[in-house]
Amino acid sequence: MTTHDTGPAAAGSPEADPPGGGAKGAGAPRAGAKETGAPEAGALTVRRGSGRLSAAAFLRNPRALTGLCIVAVVAAFCFIGPLLYRTDQVTVHLDLAELPPGGGHPLGTDASGYDVLGRLMAGGRSSLELGFAVALATTVIGTLYGAFAGYFGGVVDAVMMRAVDTFLAIPGLVLLLIVVSMFTPSLWLIIVVMSLLSWLAAARLVRGEVLTLRTREFVQAARMMGGTGRRIVLRHLVPNAAGVIIVSATFTIADSILTLSTLSFLGLGLPPPHADWGTMLTGGLDYLYDGYWWLVYPPAVVLIITVVAFNLIGDAFHDALDVRLQRT
């Protein structure tokens, strides 16, 4: 088993011999020298140090700070805003329909008399809940599936990945449209269907990363120490593939929000009284040429800013966790 040098000079060199005698390499280690551990422990120390460097690099990235600030503001707007600015998003008020911004409605009202500002908050809450739920389910399923396929390899990997390729050949948006048209769409139904369609890409990414990691020294050391396949995958391979996993999750959030808006824009989104930004865009386009700009521009701007923010965070994570971009 190869040992790691921890002092200025390797053990066995003249500088490493204690003063006063002894054969070369037979002396006791100098005071203050660290005792070398098992290869697995050494690999873990390196990974922890790299994690600190990655976190620092991420926080220094202006794109990361910009994306995090935007997401924090949007989240506060959607979840805390309704507690401060209370509106009725259930009852239709036709006598208040299509009022311009001003008075008691800072962003006006829509064709049903709903306050547009309150509608933005309610729609954003649904969009963010769906995005984070789909990203969580996709990350868990795709990571475990891809990690085990990449670690075991051979026939197991071939069968598992051929199944992934088969499902990827099915147009996801078309299948999603078929499902939501057959059943009454609800937030949880859309989350489940989108999760079942989104984990495939995550599995391929994680599998490719694990294929490059399974030949590393720390994996070989874990095998020699009697580690089971499940332990190696969960304790060693998955943490070291965190960069790919996190980047995939952030982009999944943005894609899920866009997909929900697409469904709503096509008229297959959440039914009333539920709201989302895509439904607001669909309803506002019919009145855009009549001068009712407040029905289109606010949801469009918030949707674009939110999606761009998550993409900025994903890019920043990629830069911070890519060891090729770090300079030591």
Side-chain angles (χ1 to χ4, degrees):
M1 183 179 296
T2 305
T3 58
H4 302 280
D5 299 331
T6 56
S13 63
E15 292 80 6
D17 292 334
K24 289 185 178 181
R30 294 184 301 173
K34 294 183 180 179
E35 183 180 356
T36 58
E40 183 179 358
L44 183 60
T45 302
V46 173
R47 293 200 298 272
R48 286 177 178 171
S50 300
R52 288 193 294 268
L53 291 176
S54 299
F58 176 77
L59 294 177
R60 288 195 303 266
N61 194 318
R63 289 179 295 174
L65 295 178
T66 302
L68 288 175
C69 291
I70 294 175
V71 170
V73 171
V74 172
F77 172 77
C78 296
F79 291 96
I80 301 178
L83 302 178
L84 305 177
Y85 184 76
R86 298 182 179 275
T87 59
D88 185 3
Q89 297 295 324
V90 177
T91 306
V92 175
H93 299 280
L94 296 179
D95 56 325
L96 301 176
E98 302 170 0
L99 293 179
H105 306 283
L107 291 179
T109 60
D110 62 8
S112 300
Y114 295 129
D115 184 89
V116 173
L117 181 58
R119 205 72 172 165
L120 279 176
M121 297 177 184
R125 186 168 61 247
S126 300
S127 299
L128 291 179
E129 288 175 352
L130 177 136
F132 281 104
V134 172
L136 178 61
T138 295
T139 300
V140 173
I141 299 173
T143 297
L144 295 179
Y145 192 95
F148 279 102
Y151 173 74
F152 289 105
V155 177
V156 175
D157 176 51
V159 173
M160 294 177 69
M161 297 316 296
R162 294 299 77 75
V164 170
D165 294 339
T166 300
F167 286 110
L168 282 175
I170 303 175
L173 183 59
V174 175
L175 181 60
L176 185 59
L177 291 174
I178 294 174
V179 173
V180 297
S181 62
M182 293 173 58
F183 304 96
T184 300
S186 64
L187 186 62
W188 285 110
L189 175 63
I190 297 177
I191 288 175
V192 170
V193 176
M194 290 180 61
S195 299
L196 293 177
L197 296 175
S198 302
W199 69 270
L200 303 169
R204 294 188 67 178
L205 291 174
V206 175
R207 179 250 185 185
E209 187 71 11
V210 169
L211 285 176
T212 64
L213 292 173
R214 68 176 184 174
T215 58
R216 300 286 181 87
E217 289 80 3
F218 66 90
V219 177
Q220 302 299 330
R223 287 174 179 168
M224 294 177 61
M225 295 174 67
T228 62
R230 182 177 64 87
R231 179 179 178 84
I232 293 174
V233 169
L234 298 180
R235 294 292 301 273
H236 300 281
L237 293 176
V238 170
N240 279 274
V244 172
I245 296 171
I246 294 175
V247 172
S248 175
T250 54
F251 287 136
T252 300
I253 297 175
D255 293 341
S256 301
I257 295 175
L258 280 178
T259 302
L260 177 62
S261 300
T262 302
L263 289 176
S264 302
F265 190 81
L266 296 175
L268 296 174
L270 300 174
H274 296 284
D276 64 87
W277 294 329
T279 303
M280 297 179 66
L281 284 173
T282 303
L285 284 178
D286 297 333
Y287 301 92
L288 180 61
Y289 294 104
D290 296 330
Y292 301 132
W293 56 267
W294 60 88
L295 300 180
V296 176
Y297 293 139
V301 170
V302 174
L303 175 62
I304 293 172
I305 290 177
T306 303
V307 172
V308 170
F310 281 110
N311 286 331
L312 289 176
I313 295 174
D315 289 337
F317 265 121
H318 179 270
D319 294 345
L321 295 171
D322 190 350
V323 295
R324 294 172 298 178
L325 299 179
Q326 295 183 11
R327 298 292 183 263
T328 56

